[in-house]
Amino acid sequence: MSATAEPEKGGFRLSQLIYDTRYRSMTIQIIALIGFLLSVGWLIRNAGQNLAELGKPLGFGFLTEQAGYDINQRLIEYNSQMTHGRAAVIGLLNTLLVAFLGCITATVIGVSIGVLRLSKNWIVSRLMTLYIEMFRNVPVLLWIIITMAIFIEVFPQPRDFRGEDAIATMKLFDSIAITNRGILIPALAYGPGIVLVFITFVLSLIGIVFFRRYAKKLQEETGKILPSGLISTGIFFVPTLVVFFAATMINLNKEHVVFGAKTLTLNADNSISADSGIRFCDTGGAGNVNAKNLMRANGIKFKSVPSYDLADSLTRMSSGNTRTGCDIATVPSGTALPEGLFVSEGISLYSGRPIELEKPYLSGFNFTDGVLMRNSLIALWFALSLYTAAFIAETVRSGIQAVSKGQTEAAGALGLRPGRITSLVVLPQALRVIIPPMISQYLNLTKNSSLAIAVGYMDITGTLGGITLNQTGREMESLIILMAIYLAISLTISTIMNQYNERVKLRER
Amino acid sequence: MSDVSYVRTEMLPEKAPPVGQQGLIKWFRENMFSSIPNSILSILAIWAIYAVLSHILPWVFQSSWNASSLTECRANIVAEYGEGATGACWAVVNERFPQLIYGFYPQELRWRLDLAFVGMLVALAPVLFDKLPKKMLWFTAVYPFLAFWLLWGGSIWLPVSIIAGFVLGVVAFKVIGKMFGSLAGMVSVAFVPIIWWLLFAGGAADIAQSIIPLSIQSVPSSQFGGLSLSIIIGVTGIAFSLPIGIVLALGRQSDLMIVKVLCVGFIEFIRGVPLITLLFVASTLLNYFMPPGTNFDIILRVIIMVTLFSAAYMAEVIRGGLAALPKGQYEGADSLGLDFWQATRLVIMPQALKISIPNIVSSFIGLFKDTTLVSIIGLLDPLGLSTNIRADQNWNGIIWELYGFVAVMFFIFCFSMSRYSMYLERKLQTGH
């Protein structure tokens, strides 16, 4: 007979709470909870008392007050008359901007360096190791400050671009100016036909998706492999380019074309580099007549255009201009344009392209036109990318090394070529190892973007946690919102990336 | 028949390999010029190295080490290397070296920082290298209090009374545990020291001080700075974040619902926000949460925040180690009849920690690098001091020398830490 220990029936004794394992864990947990709640309560009570003593009870009303400070880097409309809340939104957008840009470049640089580090080339792999050790072992804040210092100290001032014997020149066909205030890149100007070009582009993207599906189906059914990379590239470029040039031709032949007012930039010898239409829309000014005569003297022919489009005419008329016509000259490439042409009003270069790059150009001591990417943004972006890239490189390297050599050899034995081995066998397996740490690198980059404050880039820490906090003295509220926002961003990124991770994860039976 | 033999009867001597297949040439061909793309890469790499070094090396070595201002320094360089020569003004590092290391710590008391640093090395030695006698660990245990006293000065009785709290805890555990069972002992470990510290420690220290006055000159936190500040914050954070991290990781793995939720909430919250916001909390907010009238030290506040921050990351690292442990280890420990704490202490943790070493060290490195963030809230770590020095009239305009020096300092520390972790990994390797 086996003697089973019957659990004691009868009354529940208090000591069971401690000595009976059935209840003990519950007891411990409840004590822990009570302890936690008590300490939180104590902290909150202290905070309440302290805030009341200082006469600033908790409240978020300050967000609707006028901010009164300017933010030079902004993605949406903002001025100092707007509210602290709006300033915080600008800051948030700036944070997201730099985090987004940074994640992309860090991935590109990191993956290349990680792959190059595994290269059999001795000097290249050593160089990459050096890069990784250098960036990983020095604080990111220092890298941000050093990058900013390089931008300010090494790059030329805008006035260095002036004159015949300028110290500095613009890069990439005179379209990019790297100055110590920031990098000027061409802005985009849109002309007629842009909608068509855009639609074609979107359609060709959809076309690529469908083509890929078709190619896969064909391969599964017949085993025939289409050169899908080549065809996809073709679909990507060709239709859009065709529409682009067709629109250009049509625009140049159209008689009344209105293009955004632009200033003509010239080569050093006063000539222009591409065939262009030049539009003269103000016959009133003496300067213009002068310029026109000058051009006629240089053998440029004009075509008279009866009217502009309606909107343009209305604007002109409302500004007291009774002109109804417009002259267009077609100027062949290489034509030298006369001096003095550019003092006159209403002259614009018309190339007819649906999308036009508006290059920055020097006027006086500074650049106008183009988009100024501020130093603070670029320095932060660069430093964060380079720093995070070092970590991503290590992740990529260990991911690739985690795929056993047998896999590569087996794939080779099946007759796959090296490119296909990488894309079909190695990469899918390496990605599984790479993605989880990659997620945390993206999160780190986003969180490190809060160091923007060191270079004066106005991210959410700079606006809400910086100037707003100091101006309103609302430390508690500002920091609560700030932390909540960062928490939300982090959780969002990790959710999205975890879902992606679920998708590529090994499906185990 | 002829006696002409067409079969060679003796071995030919070995021929030397072709010139292209031996020595340096072979190495170059295999490692740098094995194919056309590889050759292009090599040439590009060599060009890049040349381009960087040809700019940096002359700058580094055409330098002036003795000058009291930037203008004087530049004049020195021109005088020595001819008109138009530019070079590094290491003079700034030379002149401000003590400041970059000690901050504004009073000059005649700097030996205390040195002593604390040496003490730190001695205290760390038995932890880092297991060949040293285990008795040295006693010094390690006492060291934090000793260091606190050396660094901030004041009465020796304050750290002593804090130690007394621990001693009381142990005594209470022994006595009460014997009288009322081990659970009561555990509870008393938690409560007796806290009651002592909250109610009696300060008074006892004052009384002891009035009976036997033993104190050294106290140094306010505002005078701390430089590399020593980074090391103080970093090492304290590292020392405290590991045990807290272990507790958090165990809590996260625990079956106890409420404990688990609390731990997960804490870890995810801390990991979701940037350190700089926590430092803002330390600099502006932490005092609000204390009883009205308390105003505790900024460095202490920063250390608390840095420790909490690092502990959350440590918890995740250790959780990774715990998760990597095969289930058989837990079951094996259970089948030996070990209770939870015994199993954790003797079976689980040693293995989990070993697996996590590389990640623990890299999060230490991260913590040490993150100490530079305190310059944003106005503490004078090497970066904050660099800004200060650059604002000085004499050194206005100096950039690369200072930042370069700070970068090299951090590099040396972090790089040696990562090398140590490699050494540890090799040493603890018990597999095949």
Side-chain angles (χ1 to χ4, degrees):
Chain A
M1 260 180 71
S2 62
T4 41
E6 281 289 312
E8 249 179 273
K9 297 266 164 58
F12 172 80
R13 289 180 326 261
L14 215 55
S15 62
Q16 264 181 302
L17 282 179
I18 296 177
Y19 293 110
D20 191 325
T21 45
R22 283 175 298 176
Y23 305 112
R24 190 197 269 177
S25 68
M26 195 47 76
T27 320
I28 295 175
Q29 291 197 65
I30 286 173
I31 290 175
L33 185 67
I34 291 173
F36 174 73
L37 290 180
L38 277 179
S39 39
V40 169
W42 182 70
L43 293 177
I44 291 178
R45 201 184 64 117
N46 284 337
Q49 267 180 6
N50 280 318
L51 288 174
E53 228 164 76
L54 289 168
K56 39 181 185 183
L58 206 66
F60 292 90
F62 72 97
L63 286 176
T64 55
E65 285 165 21
Q66 187 181 322
Y69 60 90
D70 275 314
I71 300 175
N72 53 24
Q73 162 75 43
R74 52 182 179 252
L75 290 177
I76 56 172
E77 198 45 47
Y78 172 82
N79 61 48
S80 58
Q81 311 293 317
M82 289 179 173
T83 61
H84 283 294
R86 179 85 170 181
V89 172
I90 304 279
L92 174 61
L93 288 176
N94 282 344
T95 294
L96 293 177
L97 172 74
V98 79
F100 178 71
L101 293 175
C103 283
I104 293 175
T105 37
T107 312
V108 173
I109 302 173
V111 170
S112 336
I113 289 180
V115 171
L116 281 179
R117 199 187 166 186
L118 287 175
S119 143
K120 287 205 186 74
N121 191 319
W122 182 83
I123 194 161
V124 170
S125 72
R126 281 307 128 97
L127 213 54
M128 295 304 140
T129 314
L130 181 73
Y131 172 93
I132 290 171
E133 293 296 348
M134 201 172 86
F135 275 90
R136 286 205 315 172
N137 290 316
V138 173
V140 61
L141 183 59
L142 195 52
W143 281 123
I144 294 176
I145 292 177
I146 289 178
T147 323
M148 187 67 176
I150 290 177
F151 271 87
I152 293 177
E153 299 295 328
V154 175
F155 292 141
Q157 295 182 320
R159 63 181 154 97
D160 292 341
F161 288 82
R162 277 167 62 80
E164 287 299 310
D165 51 345
I167 311 167
T169 50
M170 287 168 73
K171 303 285 180 308
L172 222 73
F173 308 111
D174 276 357
S175 62
I176 293 176
I178 302 175
T179 74
N180 68 350
R181 296 183 196 179
I183 295 179
L184 285 132
I185 57 168
L188 290 179
Y190 303 109
I194 173 65
V195 180
L196 211 59
V197 174
F198 185 70
I199 290 175
T200 319
F201 182 65
V202 173
L203 283 181
S204 46
L205 286 187
I206 298 174
I208 290 177
V209 174
F210 275 100
F211 167 73
R212 294 231 150 196
R213 274 194 199 161
Y214 167 74
K216 204 174 172 194
K217 210 175 127 202
L218 192 74
Q219 190 190 350
E220 275 169 11
E221 281 170 2
T222 64
K224 203 176 145 199
I225 299 175
L226 293 174
S228 60
L230 200 68
I231 297 182
S232 299
T233 320
I235 301 178
F236 187 82
F237 287 110
V238 174
T240 312
L241 285 182
V242 167
V243 172
F244 181 86
F245 285 115
T248 310
M249 301 304 290
I250 294 170
N251 285 342
L252 276 179
N253 287 323
K254 239 197 226 161
E255 302 226 305
H256 52 283
V257 181
V258 176
F259 195 71
K262 279 166 48 80
T263 315
L264 185 61
T265 43
L266 287 179
N267 297 337
D269 62 343
N270 242 17
S271 67
I272 53 174
S273 342
D275 282 6
S276 300
I278 291 193
R279 192 160 60 81
F280 284 80
C281 292
D282 188 353
T283 52
N288 237 348
V289 177
N290 206 9
K292 240 166 158 178
N293 289 339
L294 267 166
M295 287 182 81
R296 287 210 176 90
N298 278 280
I300 297 171
K301 300 234 160 40
F302 285 93
K303 185 156 60 172
S304 228
V305 181
S307 69
Y308 319 161
D309 77 359
L310 187 64
D312 202 325
S313 318
L314 286 175
T315 347
R316 295 252 162 193
M317 278 165 75
S318 68
S319 59
N321 197 327
T322 49
R323 253 197 40 78
T324 52
C326 190
D327 294 335
I328 286 186
T330 310
V331 188
S333 173
T335 312
L337 293 178
E339 290 286 349
L341 184 63
F342 309 105
V343 291
S344 55
E345 214 184 314
I347 300 174
S348 49
L349 169 72
Y350 183 62
S351 67
R353 297 190 197 104
I355 304 173
E356 180 77 40
L357 290 181
E358 230 173 49
K359 291 178 185 173
Y361 72 99
L362 201 59
S363 86
F365 284 93
N366 209 344
F367 282 92
T368 48
D369 276 0
V371 180
L372 175 64
M373 300 183 68
R374 275 170 202 285
N375 267 343
S376 47
L377 169 65
I378 306 246
L380 186 68
W381 174 23
F382 251 61
L384 284 179
S385 317
L386 293 178
Y387 180 78
T388 314
F391 290 86
I392 290 182
E394 279 298 87
T395 307
V396 169
R397 180 185 63 95
S398 63
I400 293 175
Q401 281 179 338
V403 179
S404 74
K405 211 165 175 229
Q407 296 285 328
T408 321
E409 287 165 355
L414 286 176
L416 292 180
R417 275 164 299 156
R420 302 208 130 231
I421 293 178
T422 313
S423 66
L424 295 176
V425 178
V426 177
L427 227 48
Q429 299 188 63
L431 271 187
R432 268 178 221 133
V433 186
I434 292 173
I435 287 174
M438 202 85 124
I439 300 173
S440 61
Q441 289 312 327
Y442 288 154
L443 287 175
N444 282 346
L445 191 146
T446 311
K447 282 181 284 171
N448 280 339
S449 73
S450 59
L451 298 180
I453 203 165
V455 288
Y457 177 72
M458 296 302 271
D459 73 331
I460 181 92
T461 314
T463 55
L464 185 64
I467 303 180
T468 295
L469 185 149
N470 288 330
Q471 275 187 6
T472 60
R474 297 278 178 179
E475 299 98 350
M476 185 75 81
E477 296 87 341
S478 300
L479 286 177
I480 288 176
I481 305 175
L482 187 62
M483 287 183 157
I485 289 175
Y486 273 112
L487 208 54
I489 298 176
S490 300
L491 292 180
T492 316
I493 295 180
S494 63
T495 316
I496 295 173
M497 294 304 284
N498 281 332
Q499 266 170 12
Y500 178 64
N501 189 28
E502 279 301 311
R503 263 184 48 204
V504 299
K505 210 166 81 174
L506 191 63
R507 305 264 191 289
E508 283 175 13
R509 271 165 291 179
Chain B
M1 297 283 283
S2 74
D3 58 344
V4 178
S5 156
Y6 292 101
V7 180
R8 198 188 284 282
T9 51
E10 80 280 7
M11 290 287 281
L12 275 180
E14 265 179 38
K15 262 193 181 172
V19 185
Q21 286 300 316
Q22 60 175 332
L24 217 53
I25 297 178
K26 177 180 179 227
W27 187 87
F28 270 105
R29 275 177 72 159
E30 276 182 359
N31 292 306
M32 283 168 72
F33 301 100
S34 60
S35 66
I36 293 177
N38 247 342
S39 311
I40 295 174
L41 269 182
S42 301
I43 291 168
L44 275 181
I46 293 169
W47 174 80
I49 293 172
Y50 170 76
V52 170
L53 288 188
S54 66
H55 276 92
I56 288 185
L57 284 185
W59 180 80
V60 168
F61 291 106
Q62 273 186 20
S63 56
S64 161
W65 280 89
N66 290 303
S68 58
S69 74
L70 189 62
T71 28
E72 189 190 333
C73 170
R74 294 212 166 127
N76 281 350
I77 291 172
V78 168
E80 196 167 337
Y81 299 100
E83 201 60 44
T86 53
C89 282
W90 298 118
V92 68
V93 177
N94 196 10
E95 194 199 61
R96 299 301 181 103
F97 185 76
Q99 203 179 50
L100 284 167
I101 300 294
Y102 299 109
F104 294 100
Y105 210 82
Q107 198 149 17
E108 66 281 5
L109 300 180
R110 282 180 184 163
W111 60 271
R112 273 159 49 180
L113 281 179
D114 294 333
L115 192 62
F117 184 71
V118 173
M120 184 187 84
L121 295 183
V122 175
L124 278 181
V127 183
L128 297 184
F129 304 101
D130 59 351
K131 292 204 184 75
L132 293 165
K134 285 285 165 235
K135 277 191 180 157
M136 280 177 77
L137 283 171
W138 283 105
F139 179 72
T140 312
V142 180
Y143 173 74
F145 306 99
L146 189 65
F148 170 76
W149 180 61
L150 273 178
L151 295 172
W152 273 272
S155 160
I156 195 174
W157 296 109
L158 187 62
V160 167
S161 75
I162 293 174
I163 297 179
F166 287 104
V167 174
L168 276 179
V170 175
V171 170
F173 179 69
K174 288 264 163 74
V175 173
I176 298 179
K178 214 171 247 172
M179 285 162 70
F180 305 102
S182 65
L183 196 73
M186 297 281 271
V187 174
S188 64
V189 163
F191 284 105
V192 170
I194 292 177
I195 292 169
W196 166 261
W197 287 326
L198 284 182
L199 301 178
F200 303 110
D206 287 345
I207 292 167
Q209 172 70 12
S210 63
I211 297 171
I212 316 165
L214 254 183
S215 67
I216 50 177
Q217 192 185 333
S218 63
V219 179
S221 285
S222 54
Q223 295 187 337
F224 282 71
L227 187 65
S228 57
L229 179 64
S230 299
I231 294 180
I232 291 171
I233 296 175
V235 171
T236 323
I238 288 169
F240 286 107
S241 69
L242 189 60
I244 300 177
I246 292 177
V247 171
L248 283 173
L250 288 175
R252 192 170 184 166
Q253 295 264 305
S254 157
D255 301 326
L256 310 177
M257 249 300 281
I258 299 172
V259 173
K260 186 175 175 175
V261 168
L262 290 180
C263 288
V264 171
F266 176 81
I267 293 172
E268 292 304 325
F269 169 70
I270 296 279
R271 276 160 42 94
V273 299
L275 178 58
I276 187 73
T277 59
L278 292 177
L279 290 179
F280 281 158
V281 169
S283 74
T284 62
L285 222 55
L286 214 51
N287 274 338
Y288 283 152
F289 290 111
M290 292 294 124
T294 31
N295 185 11
F296 70 107
D297 190 78
I298 178 73
I299 294 183
L300 188 59
R301 279 182 276 162
V302 166
I303 287 179
I304 291 177
M305 280 325 211
V306 167
T307 308
L308 292 181
F309 181 77
S310 178
Y313 281 83
M314 203 61 77
E316 283 299 278
V317 165
I318 292 166
R319 184 174 74 114
L322 288 175
L325 220 56
K327 207 155 177 261
Q329 295 293 330
Y330 291 89
E331 289 163 355
D334 280 349
S335 71
L336 285 176
L338 301 179
D339 69 15
F340 173 77
W341 289 108
Q342 285 171 327
T344 307
R345 195 160 51 87
L346 299 171
V347 180
I348 308 300
M349 266 307 149
Q351 299 186 67
L353 287 181
K354 193 175 86 182
I355 301 174
S356 341
I357 282 172
N359 290 328
I360 290 178
V361 176
S362 56
S363 81
F364 282 164
I365 295 177
L367 170 64
F368 189 62
K369 285 188 296 180
D370 280 344
T371 57
T372 49
L373 264 62
V374 299
S375 65
I376 293 181
I377 58 167
L379 293 188
L380 293 171
D381 80 316
L383 264 188
L385 274 175
S386 305
T387 320
N388 248 20
I389 296 171
R390 288 180 63 198
D392 187 317
Q393 208 180 352
N394 284 337
W395 296 109
N396 202 340
I398 200 138
I399 305 165
W400 314 115
E401 294 84 348
L402 271 178
Y403 290 141
F405 175 69
V406 176
V408 168
M409 274 197 316
F410 273 96
F411 183 86
I412 291 172
F413 272 89
C414 298
F415 190 70
S416 36
M417 270 197 259
S418 73
R419 289 297 122 155
Y420 172 74
S421 106
M422 287 180 183
Y423 154 79
L424 210 55
E425 253 179 281
R426 272 199 307 277
K427 199 184 73 182
L428 293 179
Q429 182 68 260
T430 47
H432 305 291

